[in-house]
Amino acid sequence: MEITNEQITRILTKIVFSYDRVLEVACGGGWLALEVLKRDPKSYEGFDFSETAARNASDRARSFANARTYCGDALNGQIYTNEFDLIVAHQFLHCLIGADRKTWLRFCHSSLKPSQGRLLLSSMVGIP
């Protein structure tokens, strides 16, 4: 997925700003968190279903005061109680099927800023 990873990084350089509150769904080991945090957003929050991945992401993001990473379930509505400028879900959408996709998209919609909230998503198929 190197081509997809490169493309998502290019997109992030154009859409992450210092005033942004960013949520990353399925942050994995945190490599994308570092790309987001290099752009110095107001805050970064990332979670992953895997405890090991979330721990690795925490280790990578440790030096950034504006970062918070944790273990969580993308279908837990309590995660989406803040208002975010940007939600990133890289190589995640294929993990949800059926009604779970609709539920997740509803959670994202409810927590994005109404006027300028952005959702960047990709799957394991194709370029985002």
Side-chain angles (χ1 to χ4, degrees):
M1 295 307 180
E2 189 173 330
I3 293 171
T4 305
N5 292 340
E6 289 171 3
Q7 185 64 24
I8 204 90
T9 300
R10 269 190 224 109
I11 292 169
L12 287 170
T13 64
K14 298 174 184 175
I15 66 168
V16 175
F17 304 100
S18 60
Y19 54 80
D20 282 337
R21 296 184 67 203
V22 179
L23 173 66
E24 184 180 5
V25 177
C27 66
W31 74 267
L32 193 58
L34 294 180
E35 293 299 326
V36 170
L37 289 162
K38 283 180 193 175
R39 281 131 189 92
D40 197 30
K42 184 175 184 176
S43 68
Y44 167 88
E45 187 174 317
F47 69 90
D48 199 278
F49 191 73
S50 162
E51 290 181 22
T52 300
R55 191 171 31 256
N56 290 340
S58 292
D59 290 346
R60 282 199 172 93
R62 175 185 337 256
S63 63
F64 294 91
N66 57 342
R68 176 177 167 248
T69 58
Y70 54 94
C71 186
D73 183 343
L75 294 175
N76 176 350
Q78 293 179 348
I79 288 174
Y80 307 90
T81 56
N82 292 323
E83 190 171 76
F84 296 99
D85 298 285
L86 174 63
I87 296 176
V88 178
H90 179 50
Q91 297 182 351
F92 167 73
L93 189 60
H94 63 277
C95 297
L96 298 177
I97 58 173
D100 287 347
R101 280 191 183 179
K102 185 176 181 179
T103 298
W104 178 72
L105 286 167
R106 189 172 13 96
F107 289 154
C108 291
H109 183 264
S110 70
S111 66
L112 282 169
K113 283 191 175 175
S115 61
Q116 296 178 356
R118 294 146 358 249
L119 172 62
L120 176 61
L121 59 92
S122 69
S123 187
M124 298 292 279
V125 180
I127 303 296

